[in-house]
Amino acid sequence: MKKILSILLILTCILSFTACSGNKNNKVVIYSSAEDFRNEYILKRLKEQFPKYDIALQYQSTGNNAAKLKSEGKSTECDIVLGLESGYMELLSDNFAKLDSYDNAKYINEMKISSDKYAIWERYSGTIVINKKVLQEKGLPVPKSYNDLLDPKYKDLIAMPNPKASGTGYIFLKSIVNAMGEEKAFQYFDSLSKNVLQFTSSGSGPVKLLVSGEIGIGLGLTLQAVKEINDGVNLELIQFSEGLPYTTTGFGIIEGKQNKQATKDVFNYLYSTLINEDKDKYSPEQIFEGQTIKVENYPKEIKYSNMDGIRDLKEKDRLLAKWKY
């Protein structure tokens, strides 16, 4: 009887260990810096495709995502990083596995990168977003240039994301530095700050203030503004002569996780399928050959700003050190 009990105990331990190991091997953790509504769609589609996998998608803001990954290194619980700005992907490239088996031929030339540690997930832009009702109620015209935004009549009617907290805010800062020169650009923001009701802590902040009618003009995220328009909110998008500022985000696999079957399956599906669905539904700006904009009310003719140096994190740190709002 003692022998039988011992054997049963050993078998129980083995089965428990196997079950735990199986669960661990079936778990995939994604750190994403994409917007909530996009994360919800991606997670829903992944769970439909892989019902036997335990897939967790954790939202991390751009700065927090980069800091967390830098702190955790390769020992992180994260398996896949999604939608993190390309500059940070470059900085953290030692943490990522090589993507040798993935062909970047589908990307347009300007979206092809030299790194084999990550792939481009999207190009996203910022634009000037207007709540015409607010401006009309105050008897104010729609601005036609960045200089128009300095007019005192727009005092407390403008919002912009804080570049120190938001990637969207930084692309506006960098594009104006590139357009005006650094000294004039910071003089410009000194003047603009007098009309700004709030430098928001997130890129979505200005659009939310526009939706609530608290402001009339927002330096906001194009894709988010379009989503609100498609949801019935009366907003309007404007492109100033300098063009739309933009940046890119990437996605990759944490080194050491690339051989786990569940991770490979999920990443393959992101690369082959969900990246296209995300472009068709939410973030449609061109990164692929032959790609067209299918999102209703999204600008079809986009002139982009000069974004030279947008992935240079040393330059970013230097410029942000001068930002005082």
Side-chain angles (χ1 to χ4, degrees):
M1 180 61 71
K2 286 183 178 179
K3 275 188 176 183
I4 292 172
L5 288 173
S6 297
I7 291 169
L8 287 173
L9 181 61
I10 291 169
L11 285 172
T12 300
C13 291
I14 291 171
L15 289 170
S16 298
F17 177 79
T18 303
C20 291
S21 298
N23 289 337
K24 183 177 180 181
N25 287 334
N26 282 343
K27 184 166 186 178
V28 180
V29 177
I30 302 170
Y31 286 1
S32 172
S33 293
E35 294 73 29
D36 287 344
F37 57 92
R38 296 166 71 195
N39 287 333
E40 288 170 9
Y41 177 82
I42 289 167
L43 185 58
K44 172 178 171 289
R45 292 286 289 114
L46 287 173
K47 287 189 172 183
E48 288 172 351
Q49 183 68 18
F50 305 108
K52 294 183 179 180
Y53 291 164
D54 178 12
I55 301 172
L57 192 153
Q58 300 177 16
Y59 169 75
Q60 308 280 349
S61 66
T62 296
N64 288 343
N65 200 348
K68 189 173 176 65
L69 288 166
K70 184 177 181 180
S71 171
E72 293 175 347
K74 296 176 186 178
S75 62
T76 178
E77 67 170 341
C78 175
D79 297 294
I80 295 170
V81 179
L82 178 67
L84 182 62
E85 284 185 26
S86 298
Y88 288 116
M89 296 295 286
E90 293 278 357
L91 178 70
L92 297 166
S93 61
D94 286 347
N95 289 15
F96 299 124
K98 286 187 177 182
L99 302 179
D100 294 332
S101 61
Y102 296 91
D103 182 12
N104 70 355
K106 64 181 180 178
Y107 289 94
I108 59 176
N109 286 335
E110 62 188 290
M111 293 292 118
K112 291 178 181 176
I113 56 175
S114 58
S115 175
D116 60 358
K117 294 296 193 75
Y118 71 97
I120 296 295
W121 176 255
E122 69 182 320
R123 165 168 38 190
Y124 72 82
S125 67
T127 192
I128 306 302
V129 190
I130 303 294
N131 184 323
K132 290 185 76 172
K133 182 180 178 183
V134 170
L135 295 182
Q136 287 169 354
E137 287 174 349
K138 297 184 178 295
L140 297 174
V142 172
K144 296 181 179 179
S145 69
Y146 279 115
N147 282 334
D148 284 352
L149 301 183
L150 303 183
D151 194 314
K153 63 191 176 189
Y154 294 118
K155 182 174 174 59
D156 292 337
L157 290 174
I158 300 173
M160 172 184 168
N162 187 328
K164 285 190 173 181
S166 161
T168 306
Y170 181 68
I171 63 175
F172 278 103
L173 170 60
K174 186 69 174 96
S175 69
I176 292 178
V177 167
N178 287 353
M180 300 182 181
E182 189 172 322
E183 183 177 352
K184 288 185 178 180
F186 278 96
Q187 289 173 357
Y188 174 82
F189 285 112
D190 286 341
S191 299
L192 180 68
S193 67
K194 298 172 184 176
N195 287 346
V196 171
L197 176 68
Q198 187 178 346
F199 287 102
T200 64
S201 60
S202 72
S204 63
V207 175
K208 290 179 180 178
L209 292 171
L210 285 161
V211 171
S212 66
E214 295 176 64
I215 60 169
I217 304 164
L219 283 68
L221 186 62
T222 306
L223 68 87
Q224 186 196 9
V226 170
K227 182 181 183 297
E228 294 295 346
I229 291 169
N230 291 339
D231 287 344
V233 181
N234 188 19
L235 302 178
E236 182 177 323
L237 309 183
I238 297 176
Q239 297 189 49
F240 288 162
S241 61
E242 290 83 356
L244 302 189
Y246 76 91
T247 190
T248 57
T249 72
F251 64 128
I253 303 173
I254 297 294
E255 174 67 43
K257 312 293 184 78
Q258 67 271 29
N259 295 322
K260 187 168 72 171
Q261 191 62 48
T263 300
K264 287 196 293 185
D265 289 345
V266 168
F267 189 84
N268 287 344
Y269 196 65
L270 286 167
Y271 193 92
S272 66
T273 302
L274 291 189
I275 191 170
N276 298 312
E277 293 183 14
D278 182 70
K279 304 301 148 282
D280 287 345
K281 294 177 68 67
Y282 302 117
S283 184
E285 296 179 40
Q286 187 177 18
I287 60 173
F288 298 135
E289 295 285 354
Q291 179 187 340
T292 58
I293 291 176
K294 299 177 182 176
V295 177
E296 184 181 2
N297 292 311
Y298 213 96
K300 296 294 191 293
E301 301 292 332
I302 298 177
K303 173 189 173 185
Y304 288 110
S305 303
N306 171 10
M307 299 306 296
D308 289 350
I310 189 60
R311 296 178 185 171
D312 185 338
L313 292 181
K314 289 183 179 179
E315 170 78 349
K316 183 176 184 177
D317 288 343
R318 189 182 66 78
L319 292 176
L320 291 182
K322 299 179 71 172
W323 183 265
K324 56 186 179 183
Y325 303 106

